[in-house]
Amino acid sequence: MAKTKPSKKSSKRNKSVLNSTTIPRSSSASKKTSETPTTLLFKATTLLHTSQPDEALALAQRALALSQPSSNPTQSALPALNLIAEIYVELGDIDAAREYFSKAVDLDPEGNIPEVSGGGAEKFLWLAQLCEDGGAKSVQWFERGATVLRKEIGALEERAAAPDLQLLAQEKRRKLANALCGAVEVYMTDLSWEEDAEARCELLVTEALLVAPNTPEPFQTLASVRISQMKLQDAQTALSRSIELWKDLPPEDPGVPDFPTRISLSRLLMEAEMEEDALEVLERLVGEDDSSVEAWYLGGWCLFLLSGKRKEESVAEPQADGDKDNDRRALRASSREWLQNSLKLYQLLYYEDDRLRDHALELVHGLDAELGMSAGDDDEDGSGDEDWEDEVEDEESDEEMNGT
């Protein structure tokens, strides 16, 4: 995170004032008079997008103070409320994020205020994901957001002759499809016990496919539903279609799903026994961000599964046994390398996912026993097996002492 250096800037400012032959005007006063909520929010958004949420929060709160000078809530404060809530999400303060999104809902309960003025569906969709109760409450928030988006899409389609309006309608259709897919995920997890959960999933994913037939997320959600129904071939077809829609696009293209969505995609591909496709997705992900613990872990696990398939193939085709064994050994060596990268990052980033760590360690131990210790196992970075085992034992001891 970039840090400001007030002392140096202050000394330069004082020097210029001392050397001046005129009476200086207060720089802070002139700065405040030029500040508007719009300019402050623009700067805050830029800071948020450049990984400076603390600095962004200070500016957004100033914008809120200007937009809402008294304690009485005003609609002009909506853009600031929404941005502050998003900043709190980035900072990990989910309670504060919910509070500010809820304040925005109080000012625009039906989502009728235009999105450019801070209204629209976005706050409902955020609360669906941040909802503490989850389950039916999350679905209600998704439905409120979806209702707003349907109205906005209908209004745009009535006057969508202009290319920019067509693009806006397309963007909102994709957002609606994602909201519907979000509700499907809730029905498949928190509400899976409900009698009509499967039927609701079918209705929601069908609408998502109709609304945005050329976007990958609905096909990915359809595959998830089909996997849960044990319809593997249908799931594979849906996943193949999902990947085809973006695999040839450059990373910056808006048609490419975001990083977490593609992480979920790789898991689905592995569940659907499409490991080679999963590996392609994961290789692209670590190419875009080589600090993702989960991407390295999933890549290692995927390579391990692929090596298992090669073993099965060598049994079925004994005449090609030598080549298959060499291929399998190379895959296992690559698997270990990916898993070791994941474990190194796990420590460096203070990542918190014990199940991921334990499974990665289990795989690495097995691979070491099979392949022998690799050349990079000198523990130069302090991430060797003994350190990991000590750390796991310490955690287990702490849990026992705390009676958990």
Side-chain angles (χ1 to χ4, degrees):
M1 186 180 297
K3 300 290 184 183
T4 56
K5 297 182 179 180
S7 58
K8 289 186 178 180
K9 290 182 180 179
S10 176
S11 63
K12 288 183 179 180
R13 190 183 303 116
N14 291 341
K15 183 177 179 181
S16 64
V17 169
L18 290 171
N19 292 340
S20 173
T21 57
T22 60
I23 298 174
R25 182 181 176 183
S26 170
S27 61
S28 60
S30 62
K31 183 178 181 181
K32 287 183 179 178
T33 56
S34 65
E35 284 181 346
T36 66
T38 302
T39 57
L40 287 169
L41 291 175
F42 177 80
K43 293 175 182 177
T45 302
T46 302
L47 289 168
L48 178 61
H49 291 164
T50 53
S51 302
Q52 301 177 73
D54 291 302
E55 293 86 343
L57 180 61
L59 293 182
Q61 287 173 331
R62 272 159 51 192
L64 178 61
L66 291 173
S67 303
Q68 187 175 290
S70 70
S71 58
N72 297 322
T74 59
Q75 289 184 353
S76 61
L78 274 169
L81 290 171
N82 285 317
L83 183 58
I84 289 171
E86 290 187 36
I87 294 170
Y88 275 123
V89 171
E90 184 68 20
L91 290 169
D93 191 341
I94 303 305
D95 290 338
R98 276 195 296 264
E99 178 187 347
Y100 278 89
F101 278 129
S102 296
K103 289 179 179 179
V105 170
D106 291 340
L107 292 172
D108 183 30
E110 303 301 321
N112 292 328
I113 295 175
E115 190 172 341
V116 293
S117 301
E122 201 68 26
K123 54 189 172 293
F124 303 122
L125 302 180
W126 271 111
L127 285 169
Q129 299 173 72
L130 303 176
C131 177
E132 195 169 14
D133 298 329
K137 189 64 177 177
S138 289
V139 170
Q140 289 172 15
W141 285 119
F142 276 125
E143 288 175 346
R144 288 178 72 171
T147 299
V148 175
L149 288 166
R150 290 188 190 101
K151 288 192 296 185
E152 291 176 344
I153 292 167
L156 285 168
E157 288 177 343
E158 290 178 359
R159 54 189 184 94
D164 57 335
L165 293 181
Q166 292 177 8
L167 288 173
L168 182 57
Q170 181 179 339
E171 178 186 332
K172 289 189 180 294
R173 281 193 290 269
R174 182 169 187 171
K175 190 174 290 187
L176 172 57
N178 287 340
L180 296 168
C181 291
V184 171
E185 294 299 329
V186 177
Y187 275 111
M188 291 179 64
T189 52
D190 295 358
L191 301 179
S192 60
W193 48 269
E194 292 201 353
E195 290 184 5
D196 62 344
E198 185 172 351
R200 286 181 177 273
C201 286
E202 293 289 347
L203 287 172
L204 290 165
V205 78
T206 298
E207 183 182 354
L209 288 165
L210 290 171
V211 166
N214 295 315
T215 55
E217 290 87 353
F219 287 100
Q220 187 170 324
T221 301
L222 175 62
S224 182
V225 173
R226 295 294 176 257
I227 289 173
S228 71
Q229 296 168 334
M230 307 298 288
K231 297 179 180 178
L232 190 60
Q233 189 171 355
D234 291 346
Q236 291 171 341
T237 301
L239 288 169
S240 295
R241 176 59 179 153
S242 178
I243 296 171
E244 286 171 3
L245 291 168
W246 61 268
K247 68 177 183 179
D248 295 325
L249 299 175
E252 66 275 7
D253 193 288
V256 177
D258 61 24
F259 201 96
T261 299
R262 284 179 286 159
I263 286 286
S264 298
L265 170 62
S266 67
R267 288 184 176 274
L268 288 172
L269 288 164
M270 291 162 67
E271 284 188 65
E273 300 178 6
M274 300 172 68
E275 291 88 357
E276 291 185 1
D277 294 287
L279 188 59
E280 286 186 20
V281 172
L282 290 162
E283 286 175 338
R284 178 165 174 168
L285 287 173
V286 297
E288 294 174 18
D289 179 8
D290 62 2
S291 65
S292 170
V293 174
E294 194 170 8
W296 284 110
Y297 159 74
L298 289 172
W301 177 224
C302 185
L303 285 159
F304 186 88
L305 294 176
L306 272 173
S307 70
K309 279 193 169 182
R310 294 294 182 271
K311 183 177 181 179
E312 293 173 4
E313 291 168 2
S314 66
V315 172
E317 302 175 27
Q319 66 276 12
D321 189 50
D323 291 339
K324 295 291 184 183
D325 277 348
N326 290 336
D327 188 18
R328 176 174 170 272
R329 189 174 180 85
L331 287 169
R332 296 228 159 186
S334 295
S335 170
R336 179 169 61 182
E337 183 178 349
W338 279 64
L339 292 166
Q340 287 172 334
N341 285 341
S342 174
L343 290 169
K344 289 174 184 176
L345 287 168
Y346 189 103
Q347 284 192 314
L348 288 171
L349 302 177
Y350 301 99
Y351 201 74
E352 295 182 3
D353 187 337
D354 292 348
R355 292 178 63 187
L356 180 153
R357 177 201 61 193
D358 294 345
H359 187 221
L361 280 172
E362 178 186 347
L363 292 171
V364 169
H365 287 161
L367 291 167
D368 283 342
E370 178 182 345
L371 303 174
M373 300 295 285
S374 65
D377 286 339
D378 296 333
D379 194 24
E380 293 178 358
D381 59 0
S383 60
D385 290 350
E386 292 183 2
D387 288 342
W388 281 111
E389 289 166 0
D390 290 343
E391 182 179 330
V392 174
E393 288 174 3
D394 289 344
E395 289 180 3
E396 291 174 350
S397 298
D398 290 342
E399 290 175 357
E400 291 175 2
M401 292 178 67
N402 292 328
T404 59

